[in-house]
Amino acid sequence: MAARRMVLLYLQAAAVLLLVAAGRQRAQAQLRVGFYDNSCPAAEIIVQQEVSKAVAANPGLAAGLLRLHFHDCFVKGCDASVLIDSTKGNTAEKDAGPNTSLRGFDVIDRIKARVEQACSGVVSCADILAFAARDSVALAGGNAYQVPAGRRDGSVSRASDTNGNLPPPTANVAQLTQMFGAKGLTQKDMVILSGAHTIGSSHCSSFSSRLSRSGTTAGPGQDPTMDPAYVAQLARQCPQGGDPLVPMDDVSPNAFDEGFYKGVMANRGLLSSDQALLSDKNTAVQVVTYANDPATFQSDFAAAMGKMGSVGVLTGSSGKVRANCRVA
């Protein structure tokens, strides 16, 4: 009986994965490059212009806009629900614990205002997020990949929907693989997309459990997978009682390069979930590959972004085009 039950559970899990994959394939078929060529030909140009201005003024916004797209897609799919404001009767996704440090909302607002002036009611907030993420990567030195469009916007945004969907900074490889797998993404995709941490920063509270210190000096009890010199450096950067931002890649924090993987190889992955990639033989092989082959990382990252950008999308008659990205 136990063996039969195990077989049934396995078959159920396999069926779920097949349904997720089939759904993503249908979504990818409905999204297409050049979706707005006739209905709003200036759309992608406007996005690129506004993202360029924002990143020139604050280079950290490249990582912020990329993270917005990721956090949107991993909760109920890429439907721009992360942009909706909370109301008196509803706490929206953006105000959930894992999302309170998100930034770039004002950049999306400026883009949407210009796009609405150019072609009212045509370009979705979800597509704007996807375009802005691509342009952010390119402006930071990554590959400028093509983005299939045609996403529609959702109308529901609940903070509770983030539960169990956004990978925590303490996740191990098995947990990360499971969470990405639930979105139809492979373990390889997970390692590739983790490379987004080559730009941007993190609050000390996201990794302080890895440090054991007295004052500003690292002490016993520190995470043994972290370079002791790096622990001491972080202890100085994270004073007790404060929660400042620390670069994810302290060598080239604003450059979209292979620095993240080199840092992990040197036991200088900032988050526990980053350094965990070296603890599994399969993910470790990828880390070493990308650290030594930046061209492969760039091309693989572009492909993985295309897959992530099709997670749970609304297309055709599903969803809507919100006139104001903050309002459902």
Side-chain angles (χ1 to χ4, degrees):
M1 288 293 291
R4 184 170 180 270
R5 186 168 178 271
M6 288 297 294
V7 170
L8 287 173
L9 288 173
Y10 173 80
L11 291 173
Q12 288 172 347
V16 169
L17 289 174
L18 285 171
L19 286 171
V20 170
R24 189 179 72 242
Q25 287 174 346
R26 286 194 297 271
Q28 288 174 327
Q30 294 182 61
L31 300 178
R32 70 175 190 273
V33 173
F35 184 85
Y36 297 110
D37 283 355
N38 296 319
S39 59
C40 192
E44 293 192 52
I45 296 171
I46 291 171
V47 175
Q48 200 277 335
Q49 289 174 343
E50 290 299 323
V51 172
S52 293
K53 286 191 288 187
V55 172
N58 180 359
L61 279 173
L65 291 167
L66 179 56
R67 188 168 175 239
L68 262 185
H69 184 41
F70 178 91
H71 279 234
D72 180 46
C73 292
F74 263 60
V75 180
K76 295 176 80 279
C78 310
D79 65 349
S81 54
V82 75
L83 302 177
I84 296 174
D85 285 341
S86 294
T87 61
K88 190 173 182 180
N90 178 65
T91 303
E93 287 174 35
K94 64 167 57 174
D95 291 317
N99 286 340
T100 53
S101 61
L102 291 177
R103 51 185 174 158
F105 296 105
D106 53 337
V107 181
I108 302 300
D109 289 341
R110 290 194 293 271
I111 294 170
K112 182 62 171 175
R114 282 191 59 191
V115 168
E116 285 296 305
Q117 284 183 333
C119 33
S120 179
V122 175
V123 182
S124 69
C125 302
D127 277 340
I128 288 174
L129 278 175
F131 293 146
R134 181 265 315 276
D135 294 338
S136 296
V137 169
L139 287 165
N143 284 2
Y145 52 90
Q146 290 187 313
V147 175
R151 298 166 189 80
R152 306 267 288 177
D153 299 325
S155 301
V156 177
S157 181
R158 294 183 295 255
S160 59
D161 287 334
T162 64
N163 296 337
N165 281 305
L166 295 171
T170 55
N172 58 35
V173 170
Q175 292 167 328
L176 291 169
T177 301
Q178 187 276 325
M179 297 183 85
F180 277 72
K183 311 302 176 187
L185 299 169
T186 66
Q187 185 181 77
K188 180 180 179 181
D189 295 326
M190 179 270 289
V191 179
I192 297 165
L193 293 170
S194 295
H197 287 174
T198 195
I199 56 175
S201 54
S202 172
H203 283 282
C204 291
S205 56
S206 294
F207 57 85
S208 57
S209 62
R210 305 184 71 197
L211 314 177
S212 177
R213 60 197 186 281
S214 175
T216 58
T217 304
Q222 70 190 46
D223 187 333
T225 67
M226 184 179 272
D227 174 14
Y230 192 40
V231 172
Q233 174 187 322
L234 293 172
R236 292 191 295 271
Q237 292 176 282
C238 296
Q240 292 188 5
D243 195 19
L245 288 167
V246 173
M248 301 287 284
D249 172 6
D250 65 335
V251 176
S252 53
N254 295 316
F256 199 88
D257 57 19
E258 71 284 4
F260 166 78
Y261 300 104
K262 289 181 175 178
V264 170
M265 283 184 63
N267 292 323
R268 293 171 71 89
L270 186 63
L271 305 180
S272 179
S273 56
D274 293 336
Q275 194 58 50
L277 299 180
L278 207 61
S279 67
D280 176 275
K281 64 179 182 180
N282 294 318
T283 57
V285 167
Q286 270 187 270
V287 168
V288 173
T289 297
Y290 292 142
N292 292 288
D293 189 350
T296 296
F297 162 57
Q298 295 283 358
S299 60
D300 284 358
F301 185 83
M305 284 295 287
K307 287 181 66 176
M308 188 194 78
S310 68
V311 170
V313 296
L314 302 170
T315 58
S317 60
S318 300
K320 63 169 74 171
V321 174
R322 301 202 303 263
N324 182 339
C325 293
R326 292 178 178 265
V327 179

